Amino acid sequence: MTSKSQLTIISYHYVRPIKNSLYPGIKGLELEEFKQQLDYLTNEYSIITAEQLISKSLGKEDLPNNSCYLTFDDGFKDHIEFVMPELLSRKLQGSFFPTANAIEKREILDVHAIHYILASITDSKKLFNNFNEICLKLGVSESDLNSSQKLTPNRFDNIEISHIKRMLQYVLPDDIRSKIISILFEKYVKKSLNEISDELYMSISDIKSLIKNGMYVGTHGCSHLHLEKQSKSFQERDIKLSLGFLERVGAPIENWIMCYPYGSYNQDTLDILKSYKCAVGLSDKTYLLSILDSVEPDNSDRLNNSKMLELNRLVPNDLPQ
């Protein structure tokens, strides 16, 4: 149980019946577990709306004691098919943060292509060796490969998977990363990227349906890149394009909420968001939690010191039970 001044923010991604699906290896939350978690949360917390959080950021009202805020990233079809009905049945609001390019251009994001590759394998060592061979053929240095292989396993991934994720998400240049993902996707998933994209993401009409049913829609950027690694001009362009997307679907673009892709931002990001009247920014403890055993979901200092653009979130597995 959290303290009275605490705001706990939960970061959901895949929520679906996973075990009997085509991709039982996807690391998400089973629908039945999600239902049980909502039962727990409604008993133990005061579930707040996006509007309440924005009002807090503007200094207009305080949050209820022991508040909890529910967020759903990436614009998955799961959210319209499974999540919204469960929220509506409990008269709860969720906040949804789709990535503009995934919805409008039907582009499967690299991070999700990686998830589907990993969900389609049975032997991580075989994938590890195959991945390294492809990297070397494309000109990746052995020193880069060797440095990444020194990683230790974490509570989510073994050494082989940690290595592949780090190389694809942090180390490799964009052009090489895209080539490798395309090669591995074709070999292991055995579907085109376009096929998976249409299965995976909501449509424009789905996003509008969320809004019509009282859900909140904010932005997760346009291209889903690590913002702290980008130039200030790129960041501003990406954020501006994502606001254009919000306007087209009928979501608010004044006193709005930004959810940072990968939880990544820097001072440039914060300055840009202030100039575009962003009220709340959500970081993500997912990657830190993969290294540490636990992280306190403490937002009280941020709430009290007007750091509303730097709020922390937890993954569902890290809620107290």
Side-chain angles (χ1 to χ4, degrees):
M1 192 77 164
T2 55
S3 66
K4 288 186 177 181
S5 62
Q6 181 62 52
L7 166 64
T8 298
I9 307 176
I10 311 172
S11 167
Y12 291 100
H13 293 81
Y14 301 102
V15 180
R16 61 175 71 167
I18 299 172
K19 187 176 180 180
N20 297 317
S21 71
L22 292 175
Y23 303 98
I26 283 287
K27 291 187 177 181
L29 190 64
E30 285 283 357
L31 179 58
E32 287 306 312
E33 292 179 15
F34 177 62
K35 293 177 183 179
Q36 293 169 14
Q37 197 163 88
L38 287 181
D39 290 340
Y40 166 80
L41 291 171
T42 52
N43 284 329
E44 299 292 333
Y45 294 83
S46 296
I47 308 299
I48 65 168
T49 66
E51 290 76 16
Q52 285 176 284
L53 187 57
I54 291 168
S55 184
K56 169 64 178 175
S57 76
L58 299 175
K60 294 182 178 180
E61 67 174 279
D62 288 327
L63 297 177
N65 292 339
N66 202 30
S67 296
C68 181
Y69 178 51
L70 307 177
T71 67
F72 302 85
D73 292 6
D74 298 331
F76 292 140
K77 202 78 172 175
D78 299 3
H79 300 163
I80 195 75
E81 292 184 354
F82 305 118
V83 170
M84 188 173 75
E86 290 303 321
L87 295 177
L88 290 175
S89 71
R90 292 168 170 80
K91 297 182 179 179
L92 300 175
Q93 184 199 70
S95 288
F96 297 82
F97 299 96
T99 302
N101 283 354
I103 305 301
E104 292 192 306
K105 296 184 178 180
R106 313 309 290 168
E107 294 178 356
I108 184 166
L109 304 177
D110 284 349
V111 62
H112 301 142
I114 295 167
H115 292 165
Y116 272 73
I117 291 167
L118 297 178
S120 301
I121 64 167
T122 55
D123 187 340
S124 63
K125 283 184 168 39
K126 182 178 179 180
L127 175 63
F128 174 83
N129 292 330
N130 188 201
F131 172 80
N132 286 342
E133 289 170 3
I134 296 169
C135 283
L136 292 172
K137 286 180 181 178
L138 292 176
V140 178
S141 70
E142 289 193 23
S143 62
D144 278 344
L145 287 175
N146 291 336
S147 65
S148 183
Q149 290 173 29
K150 294 177 183 177
L151 292 173
T152 57
N154 57 62
R155 63 197 179 106
F156 294 124
D157 299 309
N158 61 30
I159 292 174
E160 292 85 10
I161 299 304
S162 293
H163 164 69
I164 292 168
K165 281 186 173 180
R166 180 177 184 275
M167 292 296 294
L168 289 175
Q169 294 178 350
Y170 296 99
V171 177
L172 295 173
D174 291 350
D175 57 338
I176 293 178
R177 181 183 71 234
S178 295
K179 287 178 184 177
I180 294 173
I181 288 173
S182 181
I183 292 168
L184 294 176
F185 201 90
E186 183 177 346
K187 179 173 182 177
Y188 291 102
V189 184
K190 303 185 189 311
K191 281 189 176 184
S192 72
L193 291 167
N194 286 339
E195 283 180 276
I196 293 294
S197 176
D198 285 336
E199 293 175 9
L200 185 58
Y201 300 119
M202 286 186 278
S203 65
I204 291 288
S205 61
D206 290 333
I207 302 292
K208 291 180 177 180
S209 180
L210 288 174
I211 297 170
K212 182 179 179 181
N213 281 280
M215 303 296 144
Y216 179 86
V217 174
T219 182
H220 203 33
C222 188
S223 52
H224 202 279
L225 296 176
H226 292 82
L227 292 178
E228 65 184 319
K229 294 184 177 182
Q230 311 304 319
S231 67
K232 185 172 184 179
S233 60
F234 178 93
Q235 290 191 51
E236 182 160 15
R237 183 168 63 254
D238 192 83
I239 290 168
K240 189 174 180 179
L241 287 171
S242 71
L243 287 175
F245 166 74
L246 291 185
E247 189 170 25
R248 287 190 290 278
V249 298
I253 58 170
E254 185 171 338
N255 297 324
W256 49 282
I257 300 177
M258 173 77 181
C259 177
Y260 306 115
Y262 303 104
S264 171
Y265 66 95
N266 58 21
Q267 188 59 48
D268 285 341
T269 323
L270 300 179
D271 291 342
I272 293 164
L273 292 181
K274 289 174 185 175
S275 72
Y276 281 91
K277 298 181 180 180
C278 179
V280 175
L282 304 175
S283 186
D284 205 329
K285 287 294 185 184
T286 303
Y287 298 97
L288 183 58
L289 284 164
S290 70
I291 300 170
L292 304 177
D293 289 333
S294 65
V295 174
E296 289 297 322
D298 189 2
N299 281 303
S300 56
D301 287 344
R302 290 167 175 80
L303 291 173
N304 294 331
N305 292 302
S306 300
K307 292 188 176 181
M308 295 294 291
L309 295 180
E310 300 180 77
L311 298 181
N312 290 330
R313 299 190 296 169
L314 289 180
V315 292
N317 291 343
D318 288 287
L319 277 172
Q321 298 293 328

